[in-house]
Amino acid sequence: CIVYTCVCEISSGINAEYGGELASFTTAEGERFSSVQPDIHSIEVEMLSHRGQDVSAKGDGSLIKSIQVEGMNRSKPFWTGKCRLLIQKGSNSGEEVQAVVLRLGDGDTYGVPPEIEQCAITMTKGEECRLVTPSSNFTITLSSLEKDLTEKEIYNLPSDELITKTELTKKSGNFNFQKGKLHLASLYYNRAFRYLDNRNRKEEDSKQTNALEVACHLNLAQVYLRTEEWQAAIASCNKAFWIDPDNVKGLFRRARALCALRFYDEAQSDLKKLIGLGENGSEIRVLMEEVVKGRVEMARSEGVSMRAVLKQIEKEENKEPAEPVKSVWDEAEETCPAELASEEAYAAYTGKLAEEERVRKEKEAADRAAYEAANPPKKKKKRKKKKKADPAVVAVTETEVVQMKEEEEEKEPEVDEGMEYRVAQEKTIVNKGDDVIYEGQVVNDGTAGNGLPTPVVVKDDANLSDKTQDEELLKNEEVSEKSCEENGAAAVSEGNATVDCIVSECPA
C-alpha cells in the first residue's frame, strides 16, 4: 500500500512514455512506514516504466491516458455536450496551447481529432492528462463543460418540457444526418433515447412519446444502413416493431438489411407484408427484383457447389480399386507354424504333447509316493464330544424352579385351628438375630395335633431384661430342635427317605 502511494505521487509528474524517475520518501517524526519493520523511516522508489489508462473505444490499447493533475469534482462531459479544451501537441512544454470550444462528437468541424474527443469524454472538470496515440502525443486540459441532467432530474421533468427536449434532440440528429455527419447524428438519436428511457411514463403522453421513440429508432436504423452496419440496423427496426409492428419504414429498412446479409427468404417475407399493407412503390419493386435475383444467384451457386460435390463423388467411385486388405485368416495362414501346417503334422504334435504330459504325471506320482513313505502321517486323537443338555428341558426346569421359589416367598404360613397364639407387641427376633418377625407373624415350634410343629411366638416385652430375653430364645431353640428330631425319627420308622421341615432355621 505504501509503495502504491509512492508510485501515485511519482506518476503525477512523470511523462507517460518515459520512466527512470527516482524519488525519496521520508516519514515525519514519530511515524513509520510499516509495523513489520519499524526502524525504516526513509524509502527510495524508482519508476522503471509507466502505463496509463486505456481509453480507446475498442479497448485495444491504442489510446493511453496518464493523469497529470486530478480534476476538481466528478462531473464529466457527455456526447453532443459543449466543453472547452486546452490542447498542446507534443511532450515539450514550449509547444503552443490551443483553446477549443466544441460539441463532443463534432470535432471534425473544429479540427479536433476523434482520439482527443474519446479521451475528453473520460475526463473531469479541471483535469490535466497526457494522451499517447499511435501517431503523436497530446497534453489535454478540460477547463469547462456543460452540465448534464441526471436520471432523477429527467424523471422529474414535466411532460411538455421532456417532449420538447426529445424533439429538439431528434431534429439536431436529422440536421447532422442531412449534412452527412452520420456519427454525430447517431449520437443525437441515442441522446434522445436517454430522455425517453428515464421519463415518467403517463398514459396521456404515451402516444406522443411512443411516436417519438419509433421515429428515433427508424432514423438510427437509416444511419446504420448508410454506414453498412446491417446487424445494428436490424436491431433498431426490431425495437421499433415492439411499439408499431406494422410500421412501413421499419419493414422496408429491415428488408434492405436482410437482403445485404443474403437472407433473401426473410427479406422477401417483409416485402410481401408491405405489399399486403397496400404499399407498392418503386423502391419496393426494385428491392423485390433484387431479392429475386439474389435468390436465383444463390440457387445457382448452390447448384454449382452441388455439382462439384457430385463430380468429386463420381471421381472417387471411378478410382482404380486398391489392393485388397488381407483378412485375419490369410495372415494366420502365412504366419502358421510348421507343426500346424497339415493334419499329419498336427496329429504328431498333439501325440508328442500327450506323451510329455503322461511322463510328467508319472514322475509327479512317484515323487508323491516317496514323500509319503518318508513322512508317514500322524494319527490324530479323537476327542470325545460332550453331550449338551437339552435347552428346552433346562429352560422349563429353570422356569419352574423360579416360579416355585417366588410362590414360596409369597406364600404366608397358614394358621392351624385350635391353636393359641401370643402376639408380640412390636417385633420378635427368632433364632439367629438376622431375621426380623413383625407384629402378627408366627414362628412354628413344637408339635401340633396333626404331626406338624407347633407355632410359637417369642414375645418382645419391654419390661423383660436382656438376660431374661436371651433365656427365652435359648429355650425356644431347644424345643424346636427336639421337635424336628422326633419328627425325623418317626418318619424314618415309617419308611420315608427324607423329612421336610417347615421351619427354615431348623438344622435338620
Side-chain angles (χ1 to χ4, degrees):
C1 182
I2 297 165
V3 174
Y4 173 77
T5 305
C6 300
V7 170
C8 291
E9 295 292 335
I10 296 172
S11 63
S12 62
I14 192 171
N15 295 334
E17 67 272 21
Y18 301 112
E21 180 177 341
L22 180 64
S24 177
F25 297 88
T26 305
T27 62
E29 186 177 357
E31 300 292 335
R32 57 187 180 182
F33 278 111
S34 173
S35 60
V36 179
Q37 296 178 340
D39 298 334
I40 298 176
H41 297 281
S42 179
I43 187 172
E44 290 185 354
V45 180
E46 182 180 2
M47 181 172 289
L48 302 177
S49 62
H50 179 248
R51 182 178 177 84
Q53 178 186 0
D54 182 12
V55 294
S56 58
K58 296 181 179 179
D60 54 0
S62 58
L63 300 178
I64 302 299
K65 182 186 81 168
S66 298
I67 299 175
Q68 307 297 311
V69 179
E70 294 285 346
M72 293 182 293
N73 50 36
R74 296 183 179 180
S75 59
K76 294 183 179 181
F78 59 93
W79 291 112
T80 71
K82 289 184 179 181
C83 63
R84 185 174 185 270
L85 298 176
L86 302 178
I87 305 172
Q88 181 183 6
K89 188 174 182 180
S91 57
N92 297 328
S93 59
E95 296 289 340
E96 183 182 358
V97 178
Q98 179 185 3
V100 181
V101 178
L102 75 158
R103 192 176 291 277
L104 289 180
D106 194 19
D108 296 339
T109 305
Y110 303 92
V112 177
E115 293 85 357
I116 294 179
E117 291 184 294
Q118 186 66 33
C119 178
I121 202 71
T122 64
M123 298 174 66
T124 58
K125 185 178 179 180
E127 179 182 328
E128 181 183 346
C129 69
R130 184 174 295 276
L131 178 66
V132 180
T133 65
S135 57
S136 60
N137 305 329
F138 299 92
T139 301
I140 307 169
T141 304
L142 180 62
S143 58
S144 62
L145 53 88
E146 180 183 353
K147 186 179 179 181
D148 191 13
L149 293 176
T150 62
E151 295 180 358
K152 185 177 181 180
E153 292 173 346
I154 295 173
Y155 183 82
N156 293 327
L157 283 175
S159 301
D160 298 339
E161 187 177 352
L162 178 68
I163 293 172
T164 301
K165 283 182 175 292
T166 307
E167 288 180 347
L168 289 174
T169 307
K170 183 177 75 71
K171 288 179 180 179
S172 300
N174 295 342
F175 177 77
N176 286 281
F177 179 80
Q178 292 172 1
K179 282 191 171 184
K181 299 180 179 180
L182 302 178
H183 176 64
L184 186 58
S186 65
L187 293 176
Y188 273 111
Y189 294 137
N190 285 309
R191 179 72 182 173
F193 291 138
R194 188 168 184 271
Y195 293 125
L196 295 171
D197 293 341
N198 296 291
R199 70 183 186 272
N200 186 1
R201 301 176 184 272
K202 298 179 182 179
E203 294 182 1
E204 58 270 16
D205 303 329
S206 60
K207 291 183 179 181
Q208 193 170 1
T209 54
N210 287 344
L212 280 172
E213 189 170 357
V214 170
C216 291
H217 280 304
L218 295 178
N219 292 348
L220 189 59
Q222 185 66 21
V223 172
Y224 291 142
L225 289 175
R226 291 283 185 91
T227 57
E228 296 184 355
E229 298 178 47
W230 314 115
Q231 294 286 359
I234 294 171
S236 296
C237 292
N238 291 336
K239 291 177 181 178
F241 291 149
W242 293 347
I243 302 171
D244 187 5
D246 297 330
N247 188 275
V248 176
K249 289 184 179 180
L251 289 171
F252 179 76
R253 291 171 186 176
R254 188 172 71 173
R256 283 187 58 189
L258 290 170
C259 182
L261 292 173
R262 296 171 63 90
F263 294 124
Y264 298 115
D265 294 338
E266 290 81 357
Q268 190 175 21
S269 176
D270 285 346
L271 293 174
K272 286 181 178 180
K273 189 174 182 179
L274 277 174
I275 295 172
L277 293 172
E279 300 292 332
N280 195 16
S282 58
E283 294 181 351
I284 296 175
R285 290 196 298 270
V286 171
L287 186 58
M288 179 65 80
E289 291 176 2
E290 186 179 349
V291 169
V292 173
K293 185 179 179 180
R295 292 190 67 181
V296 172
E297 290 179 357
M298 181 178 286
R300 187 180 293 122
S301 63
E302 289 178 354
V304 171
S305 61
M306 183 59 66
R307 283 194 294 272
V309 172
L310 293 174
K311 285 183 179 179
Q312 183 68 22
I313 294 172
E314 185 178 358
K315 184 178 179 181
E316 291 179 358
E317 289 179 352
N318 295 331
K319 282 184 180 179
E320 295 181 0
E323 295 182 1
V325 181
K326 292 182 179 180
S327 64
V328 178
W329 302 109
D330 296 337
E331 292 181 357
E333 288 181 358
E334 292 178 359
T335 58
C336 182
E339 56 269 15
L340 302 178
S342 62
E343 293 184 1
E344 292 79 6
Y346 179 71
Y349 177 70
T350 54
K352 182 180 178 181
L353 292 178
E355 182 64 22
E356 291 177 355
E357 182 67 16
R358 185 184 63 78
V359 172
R360 185 187 66 78
K361 288 183 177 181
E362 289 179 356
K363 184 179 179 181
E364 184 179 352
D367 293 342
R368 187 184 299 108
Y371 177 79
E372 290 177 356
N375 302 296
K378 297 180 180 180
K379 293 182 179 181
K380 295 182 179 181
K381 296 181 178 180
K382 293 184 179 180
R383 294 182 179 180
K384 295 182 179 180
K385 294 183 179 180
K386 296 181 179 180
K387 293 183 179 181
K388 295 182 179 180
D390 191 355
V393 175
V394 173
V396 171
T397 305
E398 291 178 352
T399 305
E400 290 177 352
V401 170
V402 171
Q403 290 178 356
M404 290 172 64
K405 288 184 178 180
E406 290 178 355
E407 290 175 359
E408 288 177 1
E409 292 176 356
E410 294 176 359
K411 187 176 179 181
E412 296 181 359
E414 296 180 357
V415 181
D416 295 336
E417 295 180 359
M419 302 300 294
E420 293 182 359
Y421 302 96
R422 289 176 294 169
V423 180
Q425 293 180 359
E426 294 181 359
K427 60 182 179 179
T428 305
I429 300 174
V430 179
N431 299 333
K432 301 178 179 180
D434 296 337
D435 296 332
V436 178
I437 298 176
Y438 294 96
E439 183 178 0
Q441 292 184 350
V442 178
V443 177
N444 290 328
D445 192 9
T447 305
N450 52 5
L452 297 176
T454 303
V456 177
V457 177
V458 178
K459 180 170 59 176
D460 184 9
D461 194 350
N463 298 324
L464 296 177
S465 62
D466 295 338
K467 184 177 180 180
T468 309
Q469 290 182 5
D470 293 339
E471 292 176 355
E472 290 288 338
L473 289 175
L474 291 174
K475 184 179 179 180
N476 291 335
E477 264 187 31
E478 291 175 358
V479 171
S480 177
E481 290 177 4
K482 184 178 180 181
S483 175
C484 290
E485 289 175 1
E486 292 176 354
N487 291 334
V492 170
S493 63
E494 293 176 1
N496 296 331
T498 59
V499 178
D500 292 335
C501 184
I502 64 173
V503 180
S504 60
E505 282 75 10
C506 179

